[in-house]
Structure formats: C-alpha cells, structure tokens
Amino acid sequence: MTPPVAVTPYPISIFENTKAKTQSSEPASKWTNFTFNPIRESTVSRAMTSRYFEDLNKYAESDVVIIGAGSCGLSAAYILAKQRPDLKIAIIEAGVAPGGGAWLGGQLFSAMVMRKPAEKFLDEIEVPYEDEGDYVVVKHAALFTSTLMSKVLRFPNVKLFNATTVEDLITRKDPATGEIRIAGVVTNWTLVSMHHDDQSCMDPNTINCPIIISTTGHDGPFGAFSVKRLVSMGNIERLGGMRGLDMKAAEDAIVKRTREVVPGLVVGGMELSEIDGANRMGPTFGAMALSGVKAAESVLEVFDLRKKQNDEE
C-alpha cells in the first residue's frame, strides 16, 4: 500500500496581512489595500528603449555571435560565457521565443530523451532526470530548455536579441590567399525580414565579431542559413543534404563534426547535417547539447587568431 503523501502547509504570502478593518469590523483581506507603486507610461517605454539601444551600441562589436537560440546555441553560449567571462557574446534568434525545437520531445510529446553521456551536461546545469541505463529522460523538455535559458541569460556578458534575423554574413578576403573569412553578421528584425517582398527601404543593421557559431537547424524558413549562404557565395560547392533518420549514426556525427567550416564560422547542431550530408537525428537532444559544447570549444581553439585578424582590419 502506498504510504500517505506528506502535505506541505501553504506558504506564508509574500505580502504581509494588512491590519486594516472592513466596515463589518472583520479583519481585511491581505489584498484589500494592495496597490502597485506609481508609474507613468512613458517611464516604461524609456526603461525598455534606453536599455535596448545601449545593448545595440555595446554589442555592435562583439567577441562571439551565436546564430540561433535552440538547444545547441544555448549550450554553446553557456559554456563560452562560463569559461570566458571576458567575452561579449551576442545571441541572434529569429523567433520571439528562444529554445528552438527543445520545448517538446518528438511529435509534441513532453519528455526529453538524451543518450548517455549527455547527462553530464544535465548535471552541469542541474536538471533532474530519470536514469534508464543507456539513456536518461527529463520529465518535460521545457524544464531543460527553461533552465538552460535562465542560466545563460544570467551571465552579464551575454545578450539575447530575439525576434531578430541574420540576413547575411560580413566577409573579409585575405589579400595573400584570397580566402574568405567571416567577420560578422547582418541583422534585421524578423518581421522586417519577412516583408522585403512587399515593402522597400528597410535596410539592415550589423554586428562585427571575430567568430560566429551558426546553429540555425536543418533546412526550413530560416534553417541552415549560414551554410546555404556559403554555397551562394561560392565558399563551398554544394550542400551534402540531410540524410534519413539514423539516430546511432547521426548523433555521433553531429557532435564529432562540429567545427569551424570556414575561417570565422563554426557550425553545429542540425545545420551541420545539411553541409555534411549526415543523417537526421530524431527525437533525442543529447547531440544538440554536446554539439553546443564542442562548438564553444572550437571557438576557444581559434579565438585568439581570429581576434588578431579582426583587430588588424
């Protein structure tokens, strides 16, 4: 027989009970005299816009730009921000809500599956899970995503620009070799980007940086953006195209092959499957998290060189 569950008493309200009396002389509800502090509407606007434009000014020259705030991009941001608090890290996310496809498991199911040893990253960010032997299960994908996101956004050296799209890449040509190096991103608000066909004179903005991590996912409306742009610029001949589902092959390949594909551009996550012709991953997320970890390590391996090249421009 299942033992009775201990009931925790309802916590004391964060608001003290008022001592005011009602007309009936009964003790008033703690909400009777409740009111917010005064404010003008313009104060709200100024509080938001002043900080946003301050961030635009600060991160116009960044150390690392991460395109895509899905599980791979957020994991990369976490590792970079923790290991290098001196770096300015800008995350550009096309959607209003960061998290990519990591709010749910496969086919809109709640649980998130990660094959071992990806649970080491869950331990790092303190997400609980059920151990099933060769894999672990987080009770809801949103628990992983929201926890990771909250930890990333707490870092003082990270700024998330959501509802913002990367429309192009900034490039530099090596005068000696002719090799193209990626040196930043061209950005615009997502809603503006979606209306270039029916509106005019909506020029973009820019962020310069020594190195970029692109994690825009597999092909779709905004997917595989950076690698498709490499093809159109002639940096690579063609994309390999994502192969069919094979979890065993796909997850290992995505993590192992996460790398700097051209100078200044590290590619990770499902975007990598498009350039390499790797298999699709399936409804597990361990490869996304660990690809982000490896993307961060790949940046740190070449950052000093790319920073030197950037400063010499």
Side-chain angles (χ1 to χ4, degrees):
M1 184 174 179
T2 305
V5 178
V7 178
T8 303
Y10 192 82
I12 297 173
S13 173
I14 60 174
F15 302 108
E16 293 182 1
N17 288 330
T18 178
K19 295 181 180 179
K21 298 289 185 178
T22 62
Q23 290 183 351
S24 62
S25 297
E26 293 295 325
S29 162
K30 59 179 175 287
W31 295 103
T32 300
N33 293 336
F34 173 84
T35 184
F36 284 106
N37 285 358
I39 198 168
R40 284 182 64 82
E41 290 79 2
S42 59
T43 302
V44 178
S45 181
R46 284 171 170 167
M48 292 187 295
T49 56
S50 63
R51 286 163 175 80
Y52 193 87
F53 286 110
E54 181 181 339
D55 287 333
L56 285 176
N57 181 62
K58 178 180 178 180
Y59 286 90
E61 282 283 350
S62 294
D63 293 307
V64 182
V65 169
I66 299 173
I67 310 175
S71 47
C72 182
L74 290 172
S75 299
Y78 174 85
I79 296 297
L80 280 172
K82 184 175 182 180
Q83 293 192 11
R84 291 290 301 269
D86 58 309
L87 300 182
K88 285 193 297 183
I89 302 165
I91 307 173
I92 311 298
E93 166 56 42
V96 172
W103 289 110
L104 291 162
Q107 199 170 315
L108 306 184
F109 299 144
S110 300
M112 172 177 278
V113 177
M114 285 193 180
R115 293 163 61 198
K116 290 184 176 180
E119 88 285 357
K120 297 180 188 293
F121 187 72
L122 297 177
D123 293 336
E124 166 66 25
I125 62 173
E126 301 177 300
V127 171
Y129 53 81
E130 300 171 31
D131 193 324
E132 297 290 349
D134 289 330
Y135 65 94
V136 300
V137 181
V138 179
K139 68 178 183 179
H140 202 298
L143 175 60
F144 164 78
T145 305
S146 59
T147 301
L148 176 58
M149 192 183 308
S150 69
K151 289 181 179 291
V152 167
L153 293 179
R154 282 192 179 99
F155 286 113
N157 57 326
V158 173
K159 171 61 185 179
L160 168 67
F161 295 96
N162 49 326
T164 304
T165 301
V166 171
E167 291 192 335
D168 208 347
L169 303 173
I170 299 173
T171 61
R172 298 286 187 265
K173 181 178 287 188
D174 187 299
T177 65
E179 184 179 40
I180 291 295
R181 174 171 54 86
I182 307 303
V185 293
V186 179
T187 66
N188 217 326
W189 283 315
T190 301
L191 290 176
V192 171
S193 293
M194 294 171 65
H195 285 277
H196 283 318
D197 292 338
D198 53 59
Q199 297 292 328
S200 62
C201 300
M202 296 189 291
D203 288 337
N205 208 344
T206 57
I207 299 176
N208 284 102
C209 65
I211 194 161
I212 295 160
I213 300 175
S214 190
T215 64
T216 65
H218 53 70
D219 198 9
F222 295 102
F225 171 81
S226 295
V227 297
K228 289 190 288 188
R229 190 68 181 97
L230 291 181
V231 174
S232 64
M233 290 191 298
N235 293 89
I236 57 177
E237 184 178 347
R238 62 183 177 83
L239 296 181
M242 186 171 62
R243 303 293 192 266
L245 175 64
D246 185 338
M247 288 186 196
K248 289 184 179 180
E251 291 205 286
D252 287 355
I254 288 168
V255 175
K256 290 179 179 179
R257 299 280 290 168
T258 296
R259 66 194 185 281
E260 188 183 37
V261 297
V262 298
L265 178 64
V266 172
V267 178
M270 293 307 293
E271 184 170 3
L272 195 67
S273 67
E274 296 286 353
I275 194 171
D276 285 348
N279 296 94
R280 58 182 303 132
M281 180 193 64
T284 65
F285 284 84
M288 297 300 96
L290 296 192
S291 177
V293 173
K294 190 166 187 288
E297 292 176 353
S298 299
V299 165
L300 296 179
E301 287 172 4
V302 299
F303 179 78
D304 290 341
L305 172 60
R306 300 295 174 237
K307 179 73 162 63
K308 182 174 182 293
Q309 293 171 326
N310 190 68
D311 291 345
E312 290 174 348
E313 293 173 356

